[in-house]
Amino acid sequence: MMDRAALQVILLGMFLMSATSDPVKKKKNVDIYSFYINSTVTSRYATTVITSRVANTLNESQEIQFEVKIPKNAFISKFRMTIEGKTYDGVVKEKEAAQQQYNQAVSRGQSAGLVKSVGRTLEDFKTSVTVSAFSKVTFELTYEELLKRRLGKYELLINAQPMQPVADFKIDVHIQEKPGISFLEVKGDLSTGDLANAIKTTRADKDFQVWVTFYPTQDQQTKCKSCGENGLNGDLLITYDVERQNPKGEIMVSKGYFVHYFAPSDVPRISKNVVFIIDRSGSMSGRKIKQTRLALLKILSDLDEDDHFGLITFDSEVSLWKRELLRATEANLENAKSFVKEIRDRGATDINAAVLAGVDMINRHPREGTASILILLTDGDPTTGETNIEKIMSNVKKAIGNKFPLYCLGFGYDVNFDFLTKMSLENSGVARRIYEDSDADLQLQGFYEEVAVPLLTDIQLKYPGGTNLTKTSFSLYFNGSEIVVSGQITDNSVESFTTEVIAVSKGSNVTYQDTIMTKDPSDVPPENENFMQRLWAYLTVKQLLDRQVLLKGQEKEDEKKEALKLSLKYQFVTTLTSMVVTKPQEGEVEVANKPKEGKGGDGYTADVDSDDDDSAFLLHSAAMDYSDAMDYSDAMDYSVMIHHPLPTYGSPTIHTTTPPAVQVHSNRFLLPVVGQSKPLCFDVPLPHKLRLLQDSASEFSMNGESLSENHGFHQIAIHYKTNHHLIISTKSISYHNGQDKVEILWGQELTQHNTDGVSLVVLENEMNVTMGNIGVVIISHKKDGVKFLWPAIWEHPKDVNLTGVLGKSDISYVKTEGSQTPTLKMKDKEVKTYLETVSDYRFHSTPVQECWLVPFQAVMEAEISDFTVTQL
């Protein structure tokens, strides 16, 4: 069996990253010669890039493995491998499209790989590649997450365990916060002893920016408390918060998007009414019931004297400590603690009766100017009384009536966590899993601390001039947390943007209103200028996916489609998408899926399409043959094969689109349609020589030639009258006017040529051509190391009758409603279509466009052969 060397990267906590390999499989002939973790936090939005460079020092090929475990709240947005100068990119696709690749692998007798869930908050991404003798491989993974404020701070936890000292080991953290950083602390195993000398913290711009670097020498990597010959094994914990001098919050505007962080601390705390509903059924026996008692005793000690509380325990029967809410006086708390100490496990589980009893207790004792909270702790399904989950949820929702939140804590993995999640979300709360471990009591206490100090209730945020807003209504705001709203600005020409927050503080309405100038210079550096758009997309997708458990019918389907569309546009690996990694071994493909909240940590079904997809990332190896014929109706799989694959976005510091490393079978053209927001698009198979544009009246023509398996055009020829001939290739430009010949190379300084109705302007990666009254632009692109050309029309008289692939202008369509499959009505014919997300190569920036993908014949009303030429 081939020797295996493993490289593993682990990301823990808010962010936890580690490189490791199984000590049993560790080989001395694998050299991790460079390992970088680069985390950039811009206004709480963190983008982390992990780059690992590994050398095979054997004189034979061997498999190198790369494994990453990331926080459940993070979205992978980019993965690539570079081997011997060739790059293999992961591409995010709709999950169902990846299913076909998986099915093909299974049909060929290949098994699917299953990766276990690791720890409490981790998901697993894993791939491997065979590296030839004395060769190197570079792995690069990017993931993104919006840091969430808890208990007054953000946390960045970085764990390093590369399993060998690394010559070039670096961790760089760059935090940029517009209001300024109020405090920052670096702790952890890797900050002690001799390693503390490898940590450097630098503040700049009046504390608006902080850099934390960790550059240990190879010698230092062996001398920490838990280090040895295998190198680093420990963590850095970076905690920080921002200045909050403006109680109205922090507003940032950039490129048509905004984000509003609202976390006032200058308001008095609201006394609360809290009812704890505790499962004491037989399944809670042993350590679980002991830890629950310990946590409750500590929580009771932390209640404020003006708080009111109640205790309910349940199995098949419901027991109330007291029938009414009592004030948290010293005497009442001591009596409650005595009650808690006597809680014993027994019987079945009647969740319905217990929660309704808690609701009734709060409803019977309303207190003006207070905040009410229900907290349910259970470890199992309802087994007695009302056991129909839908009926229980209906009963609870009706009883609460949107008056206060219900928080559900699921103890262990036997609990029906989907049920608890839906029931809590339906009642303005959240569900949290409590893991069966030695610190379960601390987990319970930690959750309570997050909701212990309510400051505002019934919060409504309004944004005149804003659209496509994330969630704007919140039942409670707790001290130490943060409300975040993002959206788009409807009119980019406005000079100011106004926010308004209306809430209730101790029974009285309070209003926060603020206006900022949108034209102020941005504090965001150019390399991160797109972070706000990606922040908006991240938060929108997160909230759309969270709402899926609440919705039904068409509304659920519409929001699912919107979440999928954004996931594909921004290349997020979510529960609706998969990342397909193409590897150099005979086109081998791996499929990585983001799991739902798991039922256990030992691994589950390997079927990517399973509704019970509760495992960590699944990786399915498949020797996919991309030349297989595909049905046109399979639009998502088809998109892997065509010229404009779904773009893969890198981190905000890397402005590149990275398609999958697969064969290119078609060029895709975009066709704007007057009166429609979405253009049409169509594909032309490769290779081809096409008549791109022609105006017979002025004797103008433009033809293009494409090669097999290459993007765009490798050569474009433009002819005008009988004596003007322009040949543009990826290397050079040649112009002949019948007498003189001009040769120009790409990359030269600005070059202009004007003669006899012809104007040629050559820039670094662009050529503007005007011949007569027709103007076109030729863009030079480079993708996967290969240059190609792409043409676009930029000027022509309205009365000119243009023909050719780019000359179609009289097209129109109407979207037909009611059909399950999207259908467009074109020229009195119904055409099935699919909404695609593609890159527009008519521009240097290759902006992402949505388009309706239709057959060539439906647009051009002719066959492709009618547009081919024998000579350029």
Side-chain angles (χ1 to χ4, degrees), residues 119-136:
R120 300 173 181 176
T121 58
L122 302 183
E123 298 165 350
D124 196 279
F125 174 91
K126 181 179 179 182
T127 189
S128 61
V129 65
T130 300
V131 179
S132 58
F134 305 115
S135 293
K136 300 175 181 179

Side-chain angles (χ1 to χ4, degrees), residues 276-507:
F276 301 96
I277 307 167
I278 308 302
D279 186 346
R280 65 178 183 196
S281 60
S283 57
M284 286 283 291
S285 63
R287 186 166 70 168
K288 282 194 285 188
I289 200 71
K290 292 178 182 177
Q291 291 174 320
T292 300
R293 288 197 296 263
L294 283 173
L296 278 173
L297 291 173
K298 179 66 171 64
I299 288 170
L300 289 172
S301 297
D302 290 342
L303 289 172
D304 285 286
E305 191 171 349
D306 58 351
D307 289 336
H308 285 61
F309 71 102
L311 293 170
I312 296 175
T313 58
F314 71 97
D315 44 65
S316 55
E317 299 178 354
V318 178
S319 299
L320 281 64
W321 169 58
K322 303 292 182 182
R323 288 189 54 80
E324 63 281 341
L325 295 172
L326 292 186
R327 188 174 178 181
T329 63
E330 187 175 343
N332 286 338
L333 289 174
E334 286 304 314
N335 288 334
K337 290 177 182 178
S338 297
F339 173 79
V340 168
K341 291 175 183 177
E342 298 304 317
I343 296 175
R344 298 290 183 269
D345 55 276
R346 66 183 193 186
T349 310
D350 191 346
I351 292 177
N352 182 71
V355 176
L356 292 180
V359 175
D360 181 65
M361 183 179 289
I362 291 179
N363 283 339
R364 285 189 291 106
H365 301 89
R367 293 198 302 137
E368 188 72 22
T370 62
S372 296
I373 301 170
L374 272 182
I375 299 178
L376 167 68
L377 172 66
T378 182
D379 75 333
D381 289 345
T383 58
T384 189
E386 179 59 70
T387 58
N388 183 292
I389 288 175
E390 292 296 328
K391 183 62 175 175
I392 294 172
M393 289 190 296
S394 175
N395 291 341
V396 171
K397 185 176 181 180
K398 181 178 179 182
I400 291 178
N402 295 320
K403 294 189 292 289
F404 45 81
L406 167 64
Y407 296 100
C408 296
L409 306 180
F411 209 142
Y413 279 103
D414 294 329
V415 70
N416 186 336
F417 198 72
D418 284 345
F419 160 52
L420 295 183
T421 299
K422 186 172 183 179
M423 186 163 65
S424 60
L425 288 175
E426 281 188 337
N427 296 284
S428 304
V430 296
R432 182 79 60 84
R433 189 184 296 282
I434 304 299
Y435 295 86
E436 293 185 51
D437 211 336
S438 59
D439 69 340
D441 56 323
L442 299 178
Q443 296 176 54
L444 289 166
Q445 292 172 40
F447 172 79
Y448 172 74
E449 288 173 5
E450 291 182 38
V451 300
V453 186
L455 297 181
L456 296 172
T457 62
D458 303 320
I459 305 102
Q460 306 292 326
L461 298 99
K462 299 181 179 180
Y463 303 92
T467 187
N468 293 326
L469 304 174
T470 59
K471 183 179 178 181
T472 58
S473 178
F474 301 84
S475 61
L476 282 167
Y477 162 67
F478 297 100
N479 188 42
S481 66
E482 186 171 59
I483 290 174
V484 184
V485 179
S486 185
Q488 295 176 258
I489 297 175
T490 53
D491 185 358
N492 287 328
S493 66
V494 298
E495 296 185 353
S496 63
F497 184 70
T498 299
T499 67
E500 183 179 34
V501 183
I502 302 172
V504 177
S505 171
K506 302 194 75 169

Side-chain angles (χ1 to χ4, degrees), residues 431-684:
R432 182 79 60 84
R433 189 184 296 282
I434 304 299
Y435 295 86
E436 293 185 51
D437 211 336
S438 59
D439 69 340
D441 56 323
L442 299 178
Q443 296 176 54
L444 289 166
Q445 292 172 40
F447 172 79
Y448 172 74
E449 288 173 5
E450 291 182 38
V451 300
V453 186
L455 297 181
L456 296 172
T457 62
D458 303 320
I459 305 102
Q460 306 292 326
L461 298 99
K462 299 181 179 180
Y463 303 92
T467 187
N468 293 326
L469 304 174
T470 59
K471 183 179 178 181
T472 58
S473 178
F474 301 84
S475 61
L476 282 167
Y477 162 67
F478 297 100
N479 188 42
S481 66
E482 186 171 59
I483 290 174
V484 184
V485 179
S486 185
Q488 295 176 258
I489 297 175
T490 53
D491 185 358
N492 287 328
S493 66
V494 298
E495 296 185 353
S496 63
F497 184 70
T498 299
T499 67
E500 183 179 34
V501 183
I502 302 172
V504 177
S505 171
K506 302 194 75 169
S508 302
N509 288 338
V510 292
T511 300
Y512 300 84
Q513 192 173 59
D514 201 7
T515 300
I516 67 164
M517 304 307 294
T518 61
K519 301 303 182 182
D520 287 347
S522 174
D523 294 314
V524 179
E527 65 267 22
N528 293 342
E529 61 186 5
N530 289 329
F531 93 94
M532 198 173 299
Q533 181 177 351
R534 298 187 69 80
L535 184 159
W536 166 81
Y538 170 92
L539 195 56
T540 300
V541 171
K542 275 284 182 188
Q543 293 179 359
L544 287 171
L545 293 177
D546 287 344
R547 280 174 48 83
Q548 282 292 294
V549 298
L550 301 177
L551 303 177
K552 295 180 180 178
Q554 190 60 45
E555 186 180 10
K556 179 174 184 174
E557 193 61 29
D558 289 344
E559 291 204 3
K560 182 179 178 181
K561 288 180 180 178
E562 181 65 19
L564 173 61
K565 181 181 76 173
L566 290 174
S567 297
L568 294 173
K569 179 176 180 177
Y570 293 93
Q571 288 287 277
F572 292 147
V573 179
T574 68
T575 53
L576 302 178
T577 57
S578 301
M579 176 172 279
V580 179
V581 182
T582 304
K583 307 198 301 185
Q585 286 83 27
E586 299 179 0
E588 186 178 342
V589 171
E590 286 187 341
V591 180
N593 299 303
K594 187 174 182 67
K596 300 174 185 176
E597 172 63 42
K599 292 184 179 177
D602 294 327
Y604 312 97
T605 173
D607 184 348
V608 259
D609 202 37
S610 169
D611 289 331
D612 191 17
D613 183 18
D614 291 344
S615 64
F617 283 89
L618 301 179
L619 299 129
H620 307 295
S621 293
M624 178 68 175
D625 182 2
Y626 285 99
S627 64
D628 286 350
M630 302 191 69
D631 186 85
Y632 179 78
S633 63
D634 190 1
M636 298 310 296
D637 267 338
Y638 184 61
S639 68
V640 175
M641 300 168 58
I642 57 182
H643 166 59
H644 291 283
L646 303 177
T648 300
Y649 288 78
S651 67
T653 58
I654 305 174
H655 293 290
T656 58
T657 54
T658 52
V662 297
Q663 295 178 0
V664 182
H665 284 221
S666 302
N667 273 337
R668 173 166 295 176
F669 295 86
L670 286 166
L671 179 59
V673 178
V674 176
Q676 296 287 356
S677 60
K678 291 184 175 60
L680 298 173
C681 53
F682 57 89
D683 298 313
V684 179

